[in-house]
Amino acid sequence: MTDLELAETGPAAPPRANGELVFDAPWQSRAFGVTAALAEAGRLDWADFQAALITSVGHADTDGEDTGTPDRYWRCWLDALGTVTGAAGQIDPARWRERAEVFAERSPGHDHDH
Amino acid sequence: MSHDHTHTPDPADPAIRTEAIESLLVEAGLIDPKRIDTLIETYEHDLGPLNGARVVARAWTDGDYRNRLLADGTAAIAELGYGGAQGERMVVVENTDHVHNLVVCTLCSCYPWPVLGLPPSWYKSPEYRARAVREPRSVLAEFGTTVADDVEIRVWDSSAEIRYLVLPQQPAGTDSMGEADLVELVSRDSMIWVRRATEPNPETAT
């Protein structure tokens, strides 16, 4: 099993509670898992990703946002994932936006009955 | 519509964007969705759920125990030496092909500590607690769990007096596995039931 070196301290360090990674919402663990799966498959350079993450967190800091919260951190993570997969030609940012729009347009209540 | 859907997803919503980027990467054949689940489990600390996992593995391998567990969760769990929190009743609900169960505590974040250890942060989030009741399928989808339309989803609201534990379905092809090996397939998330119990690695299963 790949052992990803997640930073313990510093701006690229994910929020932890009692040593445990903190995910405040399911999408955060999903964003993490997608990135880890890509790295494990040899399709994402971990050092490049860490660098993109630090940059992303840096931008959020400049905007005056609290990057210590899980929500802000994992949004930065997601942006960094977009950056590196974009640079590698794996994800086209326009296609990503389109796909997000398609998902957003699914009608409310599409997934359950009353 | 019998209720008001106030939640209108925004394409800039990180949950939507995450789902979107995952779908593109999977379509491109760059990642295997099953590896995602396994990796999340690996990196999340897993103390405590081992007790619950042993209960589930015992129920999978011992039909009489399974029946006792569904009839009186507290007593059956205590048989394995777990329990001991003051006064809470454990109720175990079983997933079948037709019914899947999901556990939440809408009022706070009641959680069966003796069998599942520390609750994950997302379980305690107001967002999960509200959405699990309103739109369980969406919540499950965000965990990467799809449920067929003809399967009923029951959401169990834990309270100070009653804590629910889901008995997930035993993964296919594991009938010959021993209890000790089955324990490894049962994740904490599969007992709250936001994810199915793990399928064994096809390369190592016989």
Side-chain angles (χ1 to χ4, degrees), chain A residues 8 15-22, chain B residues 45-47 113 118 121 124:
Chain A
E8 295 284 339
R16 288 180 191 274
N18 216 20
E20 183 180 330
L21 285 182
V22 175
Chain B
H45 189 44
D46 254 343
L47 253 196
W113 296 64
L118 294 174
S121 300
K124 298 185 280 193

Side-chain angles (χ1 to χ4, degrees), chain B residues 31-192:
Chain B
I31 50 176
D32 173 0
K34 290 190 176 147
R35 283 305 297 158
I36 301 174
D37 296 331
T38 310
L39 284 161
I40 294 172
E41 285 304 317
T42 303
Y43 286 91
E44 278 186 321
H45 189 44
D46 254 343
L47 253 196
L50 197 53
N51 298 349
R54 291 200 181 105
V55 169
V56 169
R58 172 66 62 88
W60 284 347
T61 52
D62 180 343
D64 287 339
Y65 181 77
R66 183 195 191 98
N67 293 336
R68 290 201 297 284
L69 185 65
L70 295 174
D72 185 341
T74 313
I77 289 169
E79 274 181 50
L80 298 191
Y82 310 129
Q86 299 89 356
E88 290 111 14
R89 221 160 46 90
M90 286 291 319
V91 173
V92 181
V93 288
E94 170 190 41
N95 276 8
T96 67
D97 287 338
H98 306 292
V99 177
H100 287 352
N101 300 284
L102 178 65
V103 180
V104 68
C105 173
T106 54
L107 294 181
C108 49
S109 50
C110 305
Y111 193 77
W113 296 64
V115 283
L116 293 189
L118 294 174
S121 300
W122 55 260
Y123 182 85
K124 298 185 280 193
S125 75
E127 191 200 34
Y128 172 77
R129 286 154 42 203
R131 290 186 60 219
V133 174
R134 269 210 320 265
E135 44 181 24
R137 273 174 216 273
S138 277
V139 172
L140 291 172
E142 282 171 33
F143 279 94
T145 301
T146 49
V147 178
D149 290 333
D150 61 344
V151 173
E152 181 193 342
I153 296 182
R154 287 184 194 154
V155 182
W156 299 87
D157 201 347
S158 287
S159 68
E161 286 81 40
I162 303 180
R163 308 294 168 90
Y164 292 99
L165 185 79
V166 177
L167 176 59
Q169 286 180 289
Q170 185 167 357
T174 61
D175 289 339
S176 58
M177 285 174 77
E179 216 175 304
D181 290 325
L182 287 171
V183 166
E184 305 206 344
L185 302 181
V186 184
S187 65
R188 173 196 53 208
D189 286 354
S190 71
M191 292 181 280
I192 301 169

Side-chain angles (χ1 to χ4, degrees), chain A residues 1-4 20-27 29-34 36-38 40-41 43 75 78-79 81 85 90-91 95-96 99-101 103-104 106 108-112 114, chain B residues 1-3 5 9-11 14-25 27 29-31 35-37 39-40 42-45 121-122 125 127 134-135 137-138 142-144 188 195:
Chain A
M1 190 91 61
T2 300
D3 230 345
L4 291 180
E20 183 180 330
L21 285 182
V22 175
F23 299 121
D24 260 358
W27 67 264
S29 62
R30 211 74 201 157
F32 170 79
V34 166
L38 266 178
E40 186 190 57
R43 297 190 165 116
R75 283 175 190 256
L78 187 58
D79 285 341
L81 179 61
T85 52
Q90 293 157 330
I91 290 285
R95 278 200 72 204
W96 186 14
R99 182 60 59 92
E101 273 155 26
F103 284 172
R106 286 173 306 197
H110 67 94
D111 63 346
H112 61 287
H114 297 280
Chain B
M1 293 266 191
S2 62
H3 73 177
H5 285 276
D10 170 5
I16 299 268
R17 293 182 75 216
T18 304
E19 203 186 333
I21 199 172
E22 178 180 336
S23 72
L24 291 172
L25 290 167
E27 277 167 22
L30 295 170
I31 50 176
R35 283 305 297 158
I36 301 174
D37 296 331
L39 284 161
I40 294 172
T42 303
Y43 286 91
E44 278 186 321
H45 189 44
S121 300
W122 55 260
S125 75
E127 191 200 34
R134 269 210 320 265
E135 44 181 24
R137 273 174 216 273
S138 277
E142 282 171 33
F143 279 94
R188 173 196 53 208
R195 284 193 245 268

Side-chain angles (χ1 to χ4, degrees), chain A:
Chain A
M1 190 91 61
T2 300
D3 230 345
L4 291 180
E5 279 164 35
L6 292 169
E8 295 284 339
T9 57
R16 288 180 191 274
N18 216 20
E20 183 180 330
L21 285 182
V22 175
F23 299 121
D24 260 358
W27 67 264
Q28 295 169 0
S29 62
R30 211 74 201 157
F32 170 79
V34 166
T35 309
L38 266 178
E40 186 190 57
R43 297 190 165 116
L44 177 140
D45 182 282
W46 190 246
D48 286 349
F49 178 77
Q50 288 286 87
L53 180 57
I54 288 168
T55 302
S56 179
V57 168
H59 287 150
D61 277 344
T62 311
D63 292 343
E65 299 171 37
D66 177 5
T67 51
T69 65
D71 180 73
R72 179 41 53 191
Y73 177 85
W74 293 106
R75 283 175 190 256
C76 291
W77 181 289
L78 187 58
D79 285 341
L81 179 61
T83 300
V84 299
T85 52
Q90 293 157 330
I91 290 285
D92 173 350
R95 278 200 72 204
W96 186 14
R97 264 195 306 279
E98 274 168 23
R99 182 60 59 92
E101 273 155 26
V102 167
F103 284 172
E105 270 156 33
R106 286 173 306 197
S107 53
H110 67 94
D111 63 346
H112 61 287
D113 296 315
H114 297 280

